[in-house]
Amino acid sequence: MRKMDTRDHGVGMRRWCVTVAFAIQLGCAGAAAQTVDGAADMPVRASSLGLEEAVRLALENNLRTVAAAEGVAQAKGAKGASLSALLPHLSAVASQTNLTANLAALGMPMDAMPMPAFVGPYNRFDARVQLAQSVFDLAAVRRWQASGEAVEAARAGERLAEQTVAAATAVAYLAALEAAQGVESAQANLRLAETLRDLAEHQKGAGLAAGIDVARAETRLANQKVGLARAQTALDNARLDLFRLVAGSSGEPLAAAELGDTMRIAEEPAIDAAEAVRQALAERPEVALAERELKVAELGRKAASAGHLPTIGVFGDYGSSGLLPNDTSLPTRSVGVQMNLPVFDGGRTRAETRSAASRQREAEARLKDVRAEVEKDVRQALLNVGTFKEQAEAAKVAVALAERELELSRDRFANGVADNTEMVAAQAALENARQVYVSAVAGYNLARLNLAAALGHAERFRL
């Protein structure tokens, strides 16, 4: 269906907008069928599932959007963990110990002391509250700042997932509409084949046609029955693809739902290419994600470089110690300041700094590439919209001409001026013209969707 080339948003991404563009390049097989009397647009029956509702359900149920939302929650949790290194750590501990000791092993001169070397058993009780607080740790500060940018990157990834799911749902919806109208087109072709077969039999009965004329008409009729069966199978498969996207893992019973929108040659408002590129660079989630990832990489490099700096913290405790909780227990405390100065860590900090700098350069290159790709997407989408609109309008005229050709050839056959060879050829030409019109209308709507995706609001695309 569409060309989808995206990478997980945590490590980078491709531009999902090209998914729709590839569907346009492939074209579509059957949509926007014609009526027997030559009406250019054949609407689908009203139903309960419109494109807007399909996109809403997909955003709620699709695994990609659910996983992206959980990614935001995980990033927030990681941010809280990073912040904990900068906040006070308060704990309480209590212990009751029974122990013995060898005073000689402690270095005491037992020969000069009027007591045995072995003492005990005796009790020791201690209960206190302990506090530790970081005063200066630049590396921890940078890691906390990087975690904040990671949360924003996760949110941009969530928006990217929503755009991807919305675009995929719209493409699947268009494919289902195309298949549904393909069935109606096949039914119209079948009814036309039956009418022409009846005409051939009538002409043969009147002595104005031969048996070969009836055989030709019956052959066309048999082919149309096969075509209708294939169109129905294509519709069933397209509906399954759509409802799988829409229902996700919720198992919502949508299989019986019908499609409520129709494809048409809708007018697309004119937009300046430069303004469109500016809008896309401001709104595309891929750009926001790449920018946030660059900030994360930059802060990660600064955090690694700060590993060379000293850290300062304060600590203290207060409690009671004695033999037992109610025996010789006295209040005791300690308080102090500690500074850790890295002297040599085996080159770990230097290696981490180099690695972080490389990740920053990679993120910078990725952001530059994303911006270039976005500009290409927008300009290509604008060109495709104009081209496919011209094709759809030309195909609509071709259908009208093919219907006129069939009408003339049918009159010639009915009046006995010619056999039905011309009529069968005109019938085939009309079927082909309808098929081309179907593909052109589907391609035009996919081009419109591609433009919406290129501008960063695929979820707002409407037929």
Side-chain angles (χ1 to χ4, degrees):
M1 203 163 51
R2 300 188 318 155
K3 177 170 130 189
M4 217 173 268
D5 187 15
T6 58
R7 286 197 277 170
D8 290 341
H9 57 74
V11 296
M13 65 286 156
R14 294 284 188 189
R15 263 54 68 202
W16 56 270
C17 183
V18 296
T19 60
V20 187
F22 187 65
I24 295 175
Q25 295 167 8
L26 288 179
C28 306
Q34 310 299 307
T35 57
V36 178
D37 60 0
D41 299 298
M42 179 177 289
V44 177
R45 296 182 300 273
S47 62
S48 59
L49 184 63
L51 175 58
E52 184 175 0
E53 179 68 7
V55 170
R56 184 188 66 80
L57 290 173
L59 292 177
E60 290 179 356
N61 299 320
N62 192 270
L63 175 61
R64 190 182 185 94
T65 54
V66 172
E70 293 302 324
V72 174
Q74 293 165 17
K76 289 180 178 179
K79 181 182 179 181
S82 299
L83 180 61
S84 68
L86 304 174
L87 298 179
H89 288 198
L90 183 66
S91 62
V93 60
S95 65
Q96 176 67 61
T97 309
N98 182 268
L99 66 162
T100 60
N102 183 356
L103 299 181
L106 298 178
M108 293 185 179
M110 302 308 302
D111 295 339
M113 298 179 64
M115 58 184 301
F118 181 83
V119 294
Y122 60 93
N123 294 319
R124 178 187 295 166
F125 168 77
D126 189 82
R128 64 191 57 255
V129 176
Q130 300 174 335
L131 173 69
Q133 169 66 61
S134 172
V135 176
F136 177 79
D137 189 342
L138 186 57
V141 172
R142 297 304 188 199
R143 285 192 291 269
W144 172 69
Q145 291 173 337
S147 67
E149 293 296 336
V151 171
E152 296 303 318
R155 287 178 176 145
E158 183 180 24
R159 292 193 297 273
L160 176 59
E162 291 172 352
Q163 291 282 295
T164 303
V165 170
T169 304
V171 168
Y173 194 93
L174 288 173
L177 277 180
E178 179 186 5
Q181 293 182 347
V183 169
E184 295 185 2
S185 180
Q187 292 170 343
N189 291 335
L190 179 61
R191 291 192 296 270
L192 175 60
E194 290 173 343
T195 300
L196 298 181
R197 188 273 316 273
D198 294 342
L199 176 60
E201 290 179 344
H202 178 270
Q203 293 297 88
K204 180 184 178 184
L208 299 176
I212 188 63
D213 296 319
V214 177
R216 289 194 195 99
E218 289 179 343
T219 299
R220 295 299 302 176
L221 178 60
N223 289 337
Q224 294 309 317
K225 290 180 179 178
V226 173
L228 177 58
R230 290 175 176 173
Q232 186 61 55
T233 300
L235 173 59
D236 293 340
N237 289 330
R239 287 169 62 86
L240 286 175
D241 290 338
L242 172 62
F243 297 141
R244 175 65 181 89
L245 275 171
V246 170
S249 59
S250 67
E252 188 172 349
L254 291 172
E258 296 184 0
L259 307 179
D261 290 325
T262 59
M263 290 192 297
R264 57 193 178 91
I265 308 178
E267 289 293 332
E268 192 70 26
I271 181 172
D272 179 68
E275 175 62 22
V277 170
R278 186 200 63 77
Q279 177 183 344
L281 290 175
E283 297 185 10
R284 283 279 289 271
E286 297 98 320
V287 177
L289 177 56
E291 291 174 343
R292 293 297 181 179
E293 287 181 339
L294 175 57
K295 291 181 179 179
V296 170
E298 181 181 357
L299 289 169
R301 178 189 59 79
K302 292 181 178 180
S305 299
H308 293 291
L309 301 177
T311 61
I312 301 175
V314 296
F315 62 89
D317 65 73
Y318 182 85
S320 175
S321 62
L323 298 179
L324 294 171
N326 57 353
D327 184 10
T328 67
S329 292
L330 297 174
T332 59
R333 64 169 179 81
S334 66
V335 62
V337 178
Q338 178 176 318
M339 181 178 72
N340 293 323
L341 179 62
V343 177
F344 179 71
D345 59 3
R348 178 180 61 84
T349 300
R350 183 179 181 185
E352 289 178 348
T353 302
R354 287 180 175 179
S355 178
S358 176
R359 287 193 294 271
Q360 180 179 348
R361 292 191 298 270
E362 180 185 0
E364 290 171 348
R366 185 182 303 119
L367 175 58
K368 182 179 179 180
D369 182 69
V370 167
R371 287 173 173 167
E373 186 70 17
V374 166
E375 181 174 357
K376 187 269 294 182
D377 289 342
V378 172
R379 296 186 183 278
Q380 191 174 62
L382 289 172
L383 290 175
N384 285 337
V385 167
T387 300
F388 277 91
K389 184 178 181 181
E390 292 177 359
Q391 292 180 7
E393 291 174 344
K396 185 175 181 179
V397 174
V399 169
L401 294 174
E403 290 171 345
R404 178 59 178 163
E405 179 184 357
L406 177 60
E407 181 182 354
L408 293 174
S409 63
R410 182 164 52 185
D411 289 343
R412 284 169 56 82
F413 178 63
N415 292 325
V417 177
D419 61 17
N420 72 342
T421 303
E422 292 181 0
M423 185 177 67
V424 170
Q427 179 186 3
L430 176 58
E431 294 166 3
N432 182 67
R434 287 174 173 172
Q435 182 72 20
V436 172
Y437 176 76
V438 157
S439 298
V441 173
Y444 173 62
N445 281 279
L446 283 169
R448 292 178 57 236
L449 172 60
N450 186 39
L451 178 59
L455 295 176
H457 48 75
E459 76 286 354
R460 299 204 296 266
F461 171 74
R462 297 293 180 267
L463 291 169

